[in-house]
């Protein structure tokens, strides 16, 4: 009987070990399947995150590129405007420098002596130009001055001169600013070709 008990114990042990091994294999297979599923889900999530990051990087790159292009356009327009403003200022200063002294006197004489200026008109020049106008001009314009034409300074005229009708019905603007404006389209036409 002892043999039977030992055989029974051995059989129980063997069955227990087989059962334990079977359960262990099942747990191991389940754990492996769970691990494979977790890894698979992690790979899918990783791929989604990578795709999302790539899209975000592409959008950021496109946005940065558009911002750079806009900044370049803005800078170009600002530089162009600054250059044109500087050239316009230089043109005005050049006109002011050229239309002074004898040139200014000759222009005033030609305009006032013409039929375009009626008696009683006012000729406005800058304060500095009024001081430098020669007595020769006053002598040349004596007849017109007797008929009521007035030669005076004006704070609104920085160079050149302006002739205004007494009643305000008309004027001739040959100020440095107006002459620069008249010349500017011819100069700016050639400048536009440079830009």
């Amino acid at each position: 009987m002892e043999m039977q008990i030992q055989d029974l114990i051995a059989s129980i042990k063997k069955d227990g070990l087989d059962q334990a091994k079977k359960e262990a294999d099942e747990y191991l297979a389940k754990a492996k399947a769970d691990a494979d599923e977790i890894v698979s889900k992690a790979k899918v999530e990783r791929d989604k995150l990578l795709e999302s990051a790539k899209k975000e990087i592409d959008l950021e790159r496109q946005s940065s590129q558009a911002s750079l292009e806009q900044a370049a356009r803005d800078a170009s327009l600002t530089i162009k405007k600054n250059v044109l403003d500087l050239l316009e200022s230089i043109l005005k200063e050049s006109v002011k420098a050229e239309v002074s002294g004898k040139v200014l006197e000759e222009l005033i004489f030609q305009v006032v002596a013409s039929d375009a200026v009626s008696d009683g008109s006012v000729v406005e020049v800058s304060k500095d130009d009024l001081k430098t106008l020669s007595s020769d001009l006053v002598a040349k314009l004596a007849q017109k001055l007797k008929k009521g034409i007035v030669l005076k300074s004006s704070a609104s005229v920085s160079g050149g001169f302006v002739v205004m009708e007494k009643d305000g019905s008309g004027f001739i603007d040959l100020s440095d600013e107006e002459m620069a404006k008249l010349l500017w389209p011819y100069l700016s036409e050639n400048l536009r070709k440079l830009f």
Side-chain angles (χ1 to χ4, degrees), residues 145-160:
L145 294 173
K146 286 180 185 175
K147 293 183 177 182
I149 291 182
V150 176
L151 185 61
K152 70 176 196 170
S153 68
S154 171
S156 65
V157 179
S158 61

Side-chain angles (χ1 to χ4, degrees), residues 2 4 12 17 31 35 42 48 55 57 59 63 66 69 81 83 88 90 95 104 109 128 134 149 158 165 167:
E2 198 177 292
Q4 285 180 337
I12 290 174
L17 285 173
K48 284 180 184 178
K55 286 180 182 177
I57 289 169
L59 283 173
S63 176
E69 289 171 3
K81 182 186 180 319
V83 167
E88 190 173 358
I90 291 170
V95 168
L104 178 61
F109 174 73
D128 292 337
S134 70
I149 291 182
S158 61
E165 294 289 327
D167 63 2

Side-chain angles (χ1 to χ4, degrees), residues 4-160:
Q4 285 180 337
I5 293 178
Q6 283 185 352
D7 284 342
L8 183 60
I9 291 174
S11 172
I12 290 174
K13 274 184 178 178
K14 184 178 180 230
D15 287 345
L17 285 173
D18 287 345
Q19 182 65 28
K21 185 177 180 200
K22 181 180 173 187
E23 285 178 15
D25 288 343
E26 286 176 5
Y27 285 130
L28 188 60
K30 185 173 182 331
K32 187 175 185 228
D34 288 348
D36 287 345
E37 185 179 340
I38 290 170
V39 168
S40 177
K41 285 180 180 178
K43 284 181 181 177
V44 168
E45 187 63 27
R46 178 203 62 198
D47 291 343
K48 284 180 184 178
L49 288 172
L50 283 174
E51 186 64 30
S52 175
K54 284 179 184 177
K55 286 180 182 177
E56 192 172 322
I57 289 169
D58 284 344
L59 283 173
E60 187 65 33
R61 185 180 303 129
Q62 290 172 0
S63 176
S64 296
Q65 183 68 30
S67 294
L68 283 173
E69 289 171 3
Q70 183 64 43
R73 279 191 299 270
D74 291 348
S76 175
L77 290 172
T78 299
I79 290 169
K80 182 179 177 181
K81 182 186 180 319
N82 289 343
V83 167
L84 292 175
D85 289 348
L86 176 63
L87 290 173
E88 190 173 358
S89 175
I90 291 170
L91 176 63
K92 181 182 169 191
E93 290 301 316
S94 296
V95 168
K96 184 177 180 178
E98 290 299 317
V99 181
S100 62
K102 293 293 180 192
V103 173
L104 178 61
E105 289 181 10
E106 185 59 30
L107 278 173
I108 291 172
F109 174 73
Q110 292 296 326
V111 171
V112 172
S114 72
D115 291 335
V117 177
S118 62
D119 296 341
S121 294
V122 177
V123 179
E124 293 182 344
V125 295
S126 72
K127 186 177 180 181
D128 292 337
D129 286 337
L130 185 62
K131 291 177 187 175
T132 61
L133 291 176
S134 70
S135 57
D136 289 343
L137 176 64
V138 175
K140 286 182 186 178
L141 295 176
Q143 291 298 323
K144 288 286 189 175
L145 294 173
K146 286 180 185 175
K147 293 183 177 182
I149 291 182
V150 176
L151 185 61
K152 70 176 196 170
S153 68
S154 171
S156 65
V157 179
S158 61

